[in-house]
């Protein structure tokens, strides 16, 4: 039978966010400490209790495409698995801005979107880009994920493809999320695409942001004009809310790119060092970030997009005192400098690309007698993060016809294999044997 446990306040708040028509909000921002974000997934199965609790401390969390890829039902239902994990995070902290990953160029085969495209193709619609010989053009995806070769390319010149891609994101937003991440947002695939493709690619994302409304985010990777990864030289500007600088690094080029990008977008600056240990203290890249940071910029350091590559942890430097900047950064000769209200000072040398951060060290005050330093959290008291309670209430929420199937599948996923309505033997194009 179903648990009769009283629904805890965190879930009540979560359901309020899900039901409320305009409760979704942009990520919280504070100068008190370094503004950070998280972008990850666990390919093997559900996120651990510890990982969910840690993710709930970030103002903004994106779950990647391969979340629970190997968990039943395998190689399918990516959207529902991502939604379910992000609802777990929002059960702990409803203020987290929860973002689902999409790719605007590649048709990853384990998304339900892929099945929708196959159905449209079977009905005679053109949905993928074709090569000159009439076959479907295929290209390589991120090789750190399974089944990344020979991926078909979404034909954004097709009104059918554009609407299916848009509707998939909108359904996720209606299911309780705060936005979508669009990978390869300005990318030009190595396929014989036309100007209509490029126009449709930009128009689809612009119109999606409009349909999401002002309270929800579309974060476009490679949207910034000075992003070195951007291979579109048209000068066109994506009219979306957010952008990612995927390869932000310790260089003046990154400082200038971030300063420029932040004038138009909320910006995620992602640093990827060669050595994962660098993320424990990424002083050079973090100094470059702080030189250019505004109240719409967030920083992350990781060497991949999965928990296997980068376990979800809360690093010491996340809690270092910062405070609002006293002024914009100043460059004298080859040195950028900036000071913050806490007393923290930052310098970045553009000649050798090294940074220095002198963190303010607050005086250590004695703790009051009898003080106990073991706060209780929902994660410790309620380790399943209300998975069953979320599931029990999902069916009560009236959603659009697009969101309801996602919530049904998310409920099945949260309740485990014994209750899943989808067969784990279901196969898809490109699925592993």
């Amino acid at each position: 039978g179903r648990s009769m446990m009283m629904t805890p306040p965190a879930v009540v708040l979560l359901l309020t966010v899900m039901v409320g028509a305009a409760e979704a909000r942009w990520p919280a921002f504070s100068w008190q400490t370094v503004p950070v974000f998280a972008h990850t997934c666990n390919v093997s199965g559900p996120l651990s209790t510890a990982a969910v609790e840690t993710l709930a401390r970030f103002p903004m969390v994106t779950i990647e495409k391969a979340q629970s890829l190997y968990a039943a039902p395998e190689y399918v239902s990516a959207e529902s698995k991502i939604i379910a994990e992000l609802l777990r995070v929002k059960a702990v902290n409803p203020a987290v801005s929860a973002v689902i990953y999409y790719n605007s160029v590649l048709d990853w085969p384990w998304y339900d979107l892929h099945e929708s495209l196959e159905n449209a193709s079977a009905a005679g619609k053109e949905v993928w880009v074709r090569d000159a010989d009439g076959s479907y053009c295929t290209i390589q995806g991120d090789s750190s994920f399974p089944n990344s070769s020979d991926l078909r390319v979404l034909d954004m010149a097709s009104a059918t493809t554009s609407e299916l891609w848009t509707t998939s994101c909108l359904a996720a937003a209606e299911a309780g999320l705060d936005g979508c991440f669009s990978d390869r947002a300005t990318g030009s695939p190595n396929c014989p695409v036309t100007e209509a493709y490029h126009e449709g690619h930009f128009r689809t994302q612009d119109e999606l942001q409009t349909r999401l409304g002002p309270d929800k985010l579309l974060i476009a990777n490679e949207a910034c004009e000075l992003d070195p990864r951007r291979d579109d030289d048209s000068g066109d500007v994506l009219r979306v809310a957010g952008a990612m600088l995927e390869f932000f690094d310790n260089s003046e080029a990154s400082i200038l790119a971030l300063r420029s990008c932040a004038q138009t977008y909320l910006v995620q600056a992602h640093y990827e060092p060669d050595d994962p240990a660098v993320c424990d203290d990424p002083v050079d890249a973090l100094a470059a970030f702080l030189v250019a940071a505004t109240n719409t910029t967030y920083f992350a350091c990781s060497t991949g997009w999965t928990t296997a590559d980068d376990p979800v942890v809360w690093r010491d430097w996340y809690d270092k005192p910062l405070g609002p900047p006293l002024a914009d950064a100043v460059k004298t000769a080859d040195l950028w400098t900036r000071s913050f209200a806490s007393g923290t000072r930052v310098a970045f040398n553009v000649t050798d690309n090294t940074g220095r951060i002198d963190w303010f060290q607050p005086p250590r005050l004695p703790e009051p007698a009898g003080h106990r330093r073991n706060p209780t959290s929902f994660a410790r008291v309620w380790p399943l993060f209300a998975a069953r309670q979320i599931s029990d209430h999902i069916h009560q929420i009236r959603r659009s016809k697009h969101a309801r199937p996602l919530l049904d599948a998310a409920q099945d996923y949260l309740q485990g294999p014994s209750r899943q309505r989808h067969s784990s033997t279901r196969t898809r194009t490109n699925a592993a044997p």
Side-chain angles (χ1 to χ4, degrees):
R2 299 192 178 202
S3 170
M4 299 302 293
M5 183 187 299
M6 182 178 295
T7 304
V11 175
V12 174
L13 287 171
L14 167 63
L15 296 175
T16 300
V17 171
M18 293 173 69
V19 174
E23 288 297 316
R25 47 194 173 274
W26 282 30
F29 182 89
S30 172
W31 283 113
Q32 183 175 352
T33 55
V34 176
V36 292
F37 72 96
H39 187 128
T40 189
C41 71
N42 181 19
V43 181
S44 63
L47 293 167
S48 69
T49 294
V52 171
E53 183 183 32
T54 300
L55 288 173
R57 300 177 68 178
F58 290 85
M60 178 168 39
V61 175
T62 299
I63 298 295
E64 262 277 353
K65 53 185 164 281
Q67 174 60 46
S68 297
L69 186 64
Y70 300 148
E74 297 178 9
Y75 290 96
V76 292
S77 303
E79 297 94 328
S80 298
K81 292 174 179 178
I82 294 171
I83 289 169
E85 295 298 342
L86 287 170
L87 291 183
R88 290 177 67 203
V89 174
K90 288 179 78 71
V92 181
N93 180 7
V96 171
S97 186
V99 179
I100 181 173
Y101 173 97
Y102 285 94
N103 197 298
S104 68
V105 171
L106 302 176
D107 179 18
W108 286 94
W110 49 77
Y111 273 73
D112 289 335
L113 171 61
H114 174 79
E115 185 176 18
S116 298
L117 292 165
E118 285 190 321
N119 292 338
S121 178
K125 302 292 186 180
E126 285 292 328
V127 296
W128 298 292
V129 172
R130 291 185 182 272
D131 267 325
D133 62 3
S135 63
Y136 290 121
C137 181
T138 60
I139 60 177
Q140 176 69 44
D142 184 344
S143 60
S144 65
F145 291 96
N147 306 98
S148 59
S149 61
D150 298 326
L151 295 175
R152 293 177 184 175
V153 175
L154 303 173
D155 186 1
M156 287 301 188
S158 162
T160 299
T161 302
S162 174
E163 182 61 19
L164 288 173
W165 189 84
T166 298
T167 301
S168 185
C169 168
L170 291 173
E174 290 170 0
L177 305 191
D178 302 305
C180 302
F181 182 91
S182 175
D183 206 358
R184 303 199 184 199
T186 60
S188 180
N190 187 24
C191 296
V193 294
T194 63
E195 185 59 31
Y197 168 88
H198 293 293
E199 292 177 355
H201 193 195
F202 273 65
R203 183 180 63 253
T204 297
Q205 294 171 93
D206 292 349
E207 292 178 355
L208 172 55
Q209 180 65 77
T210 298
R211 292 168 69 176
L212 282 169
D215 295 317
K216 292 181 185 277
L217 288 163
L218 180 59
I219 301 172
N221 198 4
E222 303 171 14
C224 302
E225 185 178 0
L226 296 182
D227 189 331
R229 279 286 300 275
R230 180 167 174 169
D231 58 10
D232 170 71
D233 58 2
S234 66
D236 291 340
V237 176
L238 274 172
R239 295 173 176 85
V240 299
M244 175 185 268
L245 288 168
E246 182 178 351
F247 293 99
F248 183 90
D249 63 8
N250 51 310
S251 68
E252 187 172 38
S254 283
I255 291 174
L256 298 178
L258 182 55
R259 284 163 65 100
S260 171
C261 195
Q263 294 179 31
T264 305
Y265 304 107
L266 175 151
V267 187
Q268 297 178 331
H270 173 256
Y271 172 51
E272 183 176 345
D274 294 330
D275 181 0
V278 171
C279 287
D280 291 332
D281 186 19
V283 59
D284 296 330
L286 183 56
F289 170 80
L290 292 175
V291 162
T294 73
N295 60 2
T296 60
T297 59
Y298 300 78
F299 183 78
C301 180
S302 70
T303 55
W305 305 111
T306 71
T307 56
D309 295 326
D310 292 271
V312 177
V313 295
W314 191 258
R315 295 185 166 94
D316 290 343
W317 56 267
Y318 293 173
D319 291 321
K320 296 287 189 181
L322 193 60
L326 299 181
D328 287 340
V330 174
K331 185 181 180 185
T332 304
D334 61 355
L335 193 69
W336 285 95
T337 58
R338 198 178 197 188
S339 297
F340 295 83
S342 68
T344 292
R345 294 176 297 176
V346 175
F348 185 83
N349 188 305
V350 302
T351 299
D352 59 11
N353 291 329
T354 59
R356 174 174 174 171
I357 305 176
D358 295 320
W359 297 104
F360 171 69
Q361 300 293 332
R364 192 174 187 86
L365 301 176
E367 294 180 351
H371 178 69
R372 298 181 63 187
R373 300 187 60 186
N374 186 23
T376 300
S377 67
F378 278 118
R380 295 183 179 88
V381 174
W382 196 29
L384 294 181
F385 289 96
R388 181 170 296 175
Q389 280 67 31
I390 295 172
S391 298
D392 289 348
H393 285 80
I394 280 176
H395 75 280
Q396 300 175 14
I397 302 171
R398 299 190 63 185
R399 313 306 300 166
S400 75
K401 65 178 181 179
H402 300 299
R404 191 175 298 114
L406 289 174
L407 287 168
D408 288 344
Q411 175 180 337
D412 290 344
Y413 167 80
L414 286 167
Q415 290 181 331
S418 63
R419 296 286 299 277
Q420 286 164 354
R421 66 193 71 199
H422 299 294
S423 169
S424 62
T425 61
R426 184 170 154 209
T427 59
R428 288 271 179 88
T429 305
N430 291 55

